[in-house]
């Protein structure tokens, strides 16, 4: 079964990429790039899969092969050790995400639990995975043939509006934090919720300053456009977007607008381009909006008749098949970010195991080589591809470490216990 799936994915990737005669040079360029600089992926949600599927009981869980995990209402996982190797992944940011709907004290505890289960998973596979806390750790793990494994918090609710908790999360191994997830916080506006602060309030800006001081990367993937600009105004170290696209290509508010992209060269940060189809394929995003509108229309026409609504919506679905999302769509985002922010500010952040599927040819983590073939066909050099794969991310992490070392005598930012964090400037 595994061989069939791999063969199908490979055939699909080749069909998208073009004729074999035009393929050989691009394949060689991509292969050489990924051999020299394996993929350093910005975001993978395996940890929340361990929580939702297994209740974080992993002693009997086999991460070497997870293709048989389609059960109990779950589809098969996108990631395992075999497929990460096939996808040429050399370093992985594992997201220790917990729901933004949790009250903050519960979110803090749940985040600690996610850090624990991720560390335990890494420790179970010492020949394949290695916990990485620094850029040097990543480099050493890659040289040893292991997948460098880093921890990233997805959402500021994970620190419970406390800089002390932020510092302790860093001490437990977290090396980036996305400032928000899907909900606006008392100190930061989310891209997909009602804004309250026109970006970041005073405490939110101090969160960025304190993250810079301790060497934790500031991730802006889920924040509002105003919060992106506020963070860039304050940041002294490069920021990242761990899994986002270009808003000019797909208008989803989770994606990065050109005005922010244009500021990345000065800051030194990068956008790690996401593979989630609804964030990269505009026609698919519009189809989803049309379907939501049709569902609302049917519910207004047939109140109290859910079976009728379901039947009518099924008819609409049959008559309005969703567009497909392809590797080419993802490459379009990379092209645009290169054109606006330049090649040094692009990375890869798949979001696998945090979405239903990737685009055709990149349904799971095995698809990265096909993306790099597509980019090579578009004229990206081996040097360009190495930067996108991992060298840009390595430079960003080193720059953040250098800044933190340069302010090693700076005292921590402090807020009095019980002091409100939602105050303005």
């Amino acid at each position: 079964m595994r061989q069939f799936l791999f063969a199908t994915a490979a055939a699909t990737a080749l069909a998208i990429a073009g004729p074999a005669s035009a393929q050989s040079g691009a394949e060689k360029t991509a292969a050489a790039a990924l051999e020299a600089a394996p993929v350093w992926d910005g975001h993978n949600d395996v940890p929340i899969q361990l929580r939702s599927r297994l209740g974080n009981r992993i002693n009997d869980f086999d991460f070497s092969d997870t293709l048989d995990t389609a059960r109990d209402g779950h589809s098969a996982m996108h990631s395992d050790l075999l497929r990460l190797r096939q996808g040429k992944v050399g370093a992985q940011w594992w997201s220790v995400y917990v729901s933004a709907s949790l009250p903050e004290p519960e979110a803090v505890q749940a985040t600690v639990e996610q850090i624990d289960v991720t560390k335990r998973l890494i420790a179970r596979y010492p020949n394949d995975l290695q916990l990485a806390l620094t850029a040097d750790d990543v480099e050493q793990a890659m040289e040893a043939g292991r997948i460098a494994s880093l921890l990233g918090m997805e959402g500021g609710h994970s620190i419970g509006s406390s800089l002390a908790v932020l510092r302790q999360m860093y001490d437990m191994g977290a090396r980036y934090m996305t400032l928000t997830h899907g909900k606006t916080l008392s100190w930061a506006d989310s891209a997909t919720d009602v804004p309250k602060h026109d970006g970041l309030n005073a405490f939110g800006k101090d969160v960025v300053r304190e993250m810079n001081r301790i060497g934790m990367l500031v991730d802006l993937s889920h924040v509002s456009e105003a919060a992106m600009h506020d963070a860039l105004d304050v940041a002294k170290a490069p920021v990242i977007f761990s899994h986002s696209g270009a808003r000019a290509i797909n208008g989803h508010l989770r994606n990065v607008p050109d005005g922010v992209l244009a500021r990345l060269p000065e800051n030194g940060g990068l956008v790690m381009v996401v593979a989630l189809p609804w964030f990269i394929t505009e026609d698919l995003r519009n189809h989803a909006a049309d379907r939501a509108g049709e569902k609302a229309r049917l519910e207004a026409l047939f109140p109290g008749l859910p079976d009728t609504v379901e039947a009518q919506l099924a008819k609409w679905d049959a008559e309005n098949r969703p567009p497909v999302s392809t590797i080419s769509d993802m490459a379009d985002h990379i092209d645009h970010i290169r054109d606006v922010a330049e090649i040094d500010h692009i990375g890869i952040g798949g979001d696998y195991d945090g979405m239903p599927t990737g685009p055709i040819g990149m349904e799971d983590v095995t698809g990265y080589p096909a993306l790099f073939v597509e980019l090579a066909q578009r004229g990206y050099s081996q040097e360009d591809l190495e930067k996108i794969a991992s060298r840009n991310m390595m430079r960003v992490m080193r720059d953040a470490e250098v800044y933190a070392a340069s302010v090693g005598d700076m005292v921590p930012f402090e807020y009095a216990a019980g002091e409100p964090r939602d105050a303005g400037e």
Side-chain angles (χ1 to χ4, degrees), residues 100-389:
S101 297
L102 290 173
E104 286 192 344
E106 293 180 29
V108 171
Q109 175 179 330
T111 302
V112 172
E113 292 169 352
Q114 293 309 101
I115 290 174
D116 170 78
V117 76
T118 307
K119 285 183 172 180
R120 289 192 290 123
L121 183 71
I122 294 165
R124 285 188 59 204
Y125 296 94
N127 294 326
D128 295 288
L129 302 176
Q130 179 178 320
L131 182 66
L133 302 178
T134 66
D136 283 347
D137 289 346
V138 174
E139 190 172 73
Q140 190 275 328
M142 285 184 172
E143 288 175 353
R146 292 186 285 270
I147 299 168
S149 295
L150 306 97
L151 309 180
M153 293 186 289
E154 189 177 16
H157 57 291
S158 290
I159 63 167
S161 298
S162 168
L163 296 180
V165 172
L166 172 72
R167 290 187 285 266
Q168 295 309 303
M169 292 294 187
Y170 179 88
D171 286 349
M172 283 187 278
R175 289 298 181 268
Y176 80 55
M177 183 175 73
T178 323
L179 297 188
T180 69
H181 190 254
K183 293 195 172 184
T184 288
L185 303 176
S186 64
W187 49 272
D189 289 338
S190 169
T192 51
D193 196 7
V194 178
K196 296 179 181 177
H197 316 289
D198 191 28
L200 303 177
N201 70 6
F203 178 77
K205 292 173 184 177
D206 279 350
V207 170
V208 172
R209 294 183 180 104
E210 186 67 347
M211 291 174 71
N212 284 174
R213 187 190 71 82
I214 63 178
M216 182 184 286
L217 293 174
V218 176
D219 176 21
L220 302 178
S221 265
H222 277 274
V223 308
S224 71
E225 182 174 352
M228 295 175 193
H229 282 291
D230 282 351
L232 285 167
D233 289 343
V234 172
K236 300 297 185 182
V239 303
I240 65 169
F241 293 80
S242 66
H243 56 308
S244 292
R247 197 178 296 179
I249 304 300
N250 178 298
H252 198 289
L253 295 179
R254 278 270 284 97
N255 288 334
V256 189
D258 282 359
V260 174
L261 290 178
R263 297 187 64 182
L264 287 183
E266 180 180 0
N267 168 264
L270 76 160
V271 178
M272 308 183 85
V273 177
V274 71
L276 199 156
W278 290 268
F279 290 177
I280 62 172
T281 304
E282 179 69 5
D283 288 347
L284 190 58
R285 187 177 79 96
N286 286 324
H287 177 272
D290 290 344
R291 188 182 189 277
E294 178 63 13
K295 183 179 180 183
R297 188 183 76 87
L298 291 170
E299 288 171 343
L301 287 174
F302 304 107
L305 297 174
D307 290 345
T308 301
V309 170
E310 184 178 351
Q312 291 293 317
L313 192 58
K315 180 181 177 183
W316 187 92
D317 286 340
E319 295 171 350
N320 297 271
R321 296 294 184 187
V324 298
S325 181
T326 69
I327 291 173
S328 180
D329 294 333
M330 188 171 175
D332 288 345
H333 287 258
I334 294 172
D335 283 350
H336 185 80
I337 296 168
R338 177 198 57 188
D339 292 345
V340 178
E342 303 173 357
I343 194 69
D344 291 336
H345 306 284
I346 309 169
I348 300 294
D351 204 15
Y352 287 106
D353 281 302
M355 58 182 173
T357 182
I360 292 174
M362 290 186 67
E363 291 85 354
D364 62 19
V365 295
T366 63
Y368 290 124
L371 171 65
F372 280 79
V373 170
E374 170 71 19
L375 294 175
Q377 286 189 304
R378 293 183 179 210
Y380 287 78
S381 68
Q382 180 177 332
E383 180 183 5
D384 292 339
L385 298 181
E386 289 180 17
K387 287 182 176 184
I388 294 169

